[in-house]
Amino acid sequence: MNQTNLRAAPGLTSLIGLDRAELAAALVEIGEPEKGAKLRAKQLWHWIYHHGASDFAQMTTLNGPLREALAEKFTLARPEVAREQRSEDGTRKWLLRFEDGQEAESVFIPEEDRGALCMSSQVGCTLTCRFCHTGTQRLVRNLGAREIISQFFVARDSYGEWPSPAGGRMISNIVMMGMGEPLFNYENVAKAIRIAMDPEGISISRRRITLSTAGVAPLIERCGAELGVNLAISLHAVDDDLRSEIMPINRKYPLAQLLEACRRYPRASNARRITFEYVMLKGINDSPADAKALVQLIAGIPAKINLIPFNAWPGAPYECSSAEAINEFAVIVNKAGYSAPVRAPRGRDILAACGQLRSDSVIAKRSAQSSQSRPAAAPQAVLN
Ligand code: SAH
């Protein structure tokens, strides 16, 4: 059976995304005595998050009547995969459609024998960073914990990586770098990350999980203390004027406040550096003077700089810096003692690279409407 195409029957409540206490409550709801519910919840947890069960009938450690009672009320169906694309470089992108019809994308970026799943935290994004395609999407809402962790289920289903392998995993890392600002949806993101980290389930170590933020300074410290995952900051500019222009969130949390939060990030150390992401925009933020200002700005923070060549999208107001400019920038940052890898763009051909995610449900629906009166030119690169 193709698990990713499992769809929930109407009226059934999904158990994916529930924590142990909520699973116990679900069991009590279907008549399981309170006394045994905790143990049963532990078993259920193991089936859902370790085995990736998609059917209650698989749960052989639960008795038959309980399995039937569960199936009457609950489901383990994954969200609908509205579209799956594969890049020529192996990158895969899933457009997931949730129960209310809203959509979000996740991207798997494979290396030779491992890979990172880039998950979304919101449908669309409210940040409106000028270089980012996701911010041009009109519809925005938070994803629930279930919708966030479901992205992982869909990816793992398609690699058949259940039960959670002890080692040698293809989907070895998680990056919260998809659509949305994870720290604007902290509770749901935190819940999903806790599920992903739990050693009795999906079991991805906090060292293999990275949360990227545009700089919601007040929540950065909390994220470090409560989740302890790796932190990435979308920096992109070294002075407040430019940063506020290209990233409006900077008006609320300017650079000084953001960097102060980074300095206090609980687990930052040389072994666990903070990643500063820096998108290379031609003639905007890519001069040698910018590079020098960058190293001064982050002085004292255990850090690495990820230089991201700007990925274009239809109608984007910027161009990518030249290879020479990126190289010169990297040399300056390197000389100051920071590693500054240039992130190789992955999945550009399927608009799966950084900043290119955007569920095209809005575009698609609009062009479907307009096609009733006149044939609409479908934006091919997006609709694919
Ligand atoms: N809102 C969070 C999570 C999104 S991560 C954040 O801002 O960190 C997506 C990353 O891709 C961010 O670093 C973002 O700034 C970067 N990005 C956005 N648009 C891009 C583009 N067109 N080209 C390259 N990187 C881009």
Side-chain angles (χ1 to χ4, degrees):
M1 187 181 351
N2 182 351
Q3 297 191 328
T4 52
N5 283 332
L6 279 176
R7 293 192 57 185
L12 298 183
T13 307
S14 175
L15 294 182
I16 295 177
L18 300 192
D19 61 24
R20 285 185 179 80
E22 289 166 333
L23 288 177
L27 285 158
V28 170
E29 202 184 312
I30 54 165
E32 191 66 16
E34 299 238 1
K35 240 175 80 209
K38 213 171 155 196
L39 172 66
R40 294 272 172 244
K42 198 173 150 70
Q43 293 173 311
L44 201 48
W45 172 283
H46 203 246
W47 282 111
I48 299 172
Y49 297 117
H50 177 71
H51 288 284
S54 55
D55 190 342
F56 294 105
Q58 288 169 258
M59 303 185 170
T60 46
T61 55
L62 304 181
N63 62 53
L66 177 56
R67 298 201 303 251
E68 276 161 35
L70 282 165
E72 260 168 43
K73 194 124 203 237
F74 301 113
T75 175
L76 296 165
R78 287 43 167 161
E80 179 190 353
V81 177
R83 189 183 55 212
E84 181 174 346
Q85 289 167 281
R86 251 173 229 244
S87 160
E88 37 192 53
D89 69 15
T91 301
R92 293 165 75 161
K93 182 166 88 163
W94 294 271
L95 175 68
L96 303 184
R97 185 172 298 148
F98 302 110
E99 274 153 47
D100 64 353
Q102 295 280 6
E103 296 170 344
E105 293 186 314
S106 39
V107 173
F108 180 66
I109 307 134
E111 308 292 333
E112 201 154 293
D113 54 356
R114 43 180 268 151
L117 181 67
C118 177
M119 310 208 301
S120 292
S121 56
Q122 299 182 303
V123 171
C125 188
T126 53
L127 290 170
T128 61
C129 299
R130 287 198 63 197
F131 45 82
C132 181
H133 200 202
T134 307
T136 64
Q137 186 168 330
R138 282 193 315 170
L139 291 173
V140 180
R141 75 162 169 82
N142 281 340
L143 292 178
R146 167 158 51 90
E147 293 169 326
I148 297 168
I149 200 66
S150 288
Q151 299 169 51
F152 186 85
F153 275 76
V154 168
R156 232 196 206 174
D157 285 351
S158 79
Y159 275 88
E161 272 193 347
W162 301 109
S164 290
R169 300 172 174 199
M170 242 344 251
I171 307 173
S172 57
N173 291 56
I174 291 178
V175 293
M176 293 303 305
M177 292 189 185
M179 297 163 64
E181 169 48 51
L183 296 186
F184 281 165
N185 185 17
Y186 181 77
E187 298 295 343
N188 290 326
V189 167
K191 190 171 172 194
I193 288 181
R194 283 200 185 95
I195 290 174
M197 294 192 302
D198 193 291
E200 287 167 37
I202 291 167
S203 187
I204 295 206
S205 145
R206 63 187 72 229
R207 288 165 189 278
R208 293 183 181 274
I209 299 178
T210 301
L211 183 144
S212 178
T213 177
V216 188
L219 280 172
I220 287 178
E221 200 173 346
R222 188 167 162 209
C223 170
E226 293 182 355
L227 303 173
V229 294
N230 301 316
L231 180 66
I233 302 286
S234 295
L235 191 66
H236 306 326
V238 290
D239 67 76
D240 279 319
D241 283 349
L242 177 61
R243 194 162 191 272
S244 294
E245 188 189 318
I246 65 176
M247 300 181 71
I249 193 180
N250 192 69
R251 296 186 200 131
K252 193 151 188 207
Y253 306 116
L255 279 169
Q257 197 182 340
L258 174 56
L259 291 161
E260 181 51 31
C262 293
R263 291 201 158 82
R264 285 201 307 262
Y265 195 68
R267 306 197 186 222
S269 66
N270 261 339
R272 297 193 67 197
R273 292 159 213 256
I274 293 177
T275 301
F276 288 95
E277 297 159 282
Y278 197 92
V279 62
M280 300 299 296
L281 304 171
K282 187 180 212 158
I284 304 283
N285 65 355
D286 61 349
S287 72
D290 288 318
K292 286 176 195 147
L294 171 60
V295 294
Q296 276 172 12
L297 195 65
I298 60 167
I301 303 178
K304 60 179 173 225
I305 320 293
N306 225 322
L307 299 176
I308 316 178
F310 171 68
N311 293 307
W313 36 271
Y318 299 110
E319 281 176 65
C320 183
S321 309
S322 68
E324 297 75 49
I326 297 177
N327 193 35
E328 199 178 345
F329 199 99
V331 167
I332 295 170
V333 175
N334 259 317
K335 278 205 178 130
Y338 295 98
S339 106
V342 179
R343 187 184 289 174
R346 299 287 303 266
R348 268 183 177 171
D349 54 333
I350 55 166
L351 287 184
C354 299
Q356 294 184 313
L357 298 190
R358 182 191 195 285
S359 69
D360 39 308
S361 49
V362 185
I363 297 176
K365 277 173 200 144
R366 255 194 254 135
S367 55
Q369 274 161 12
S370 55
S371 70
Q372 288 166 3
S373 46
R374 63 184 167 77
Q380 203 51 45
V382 179
L383 287 177
N384 212 347

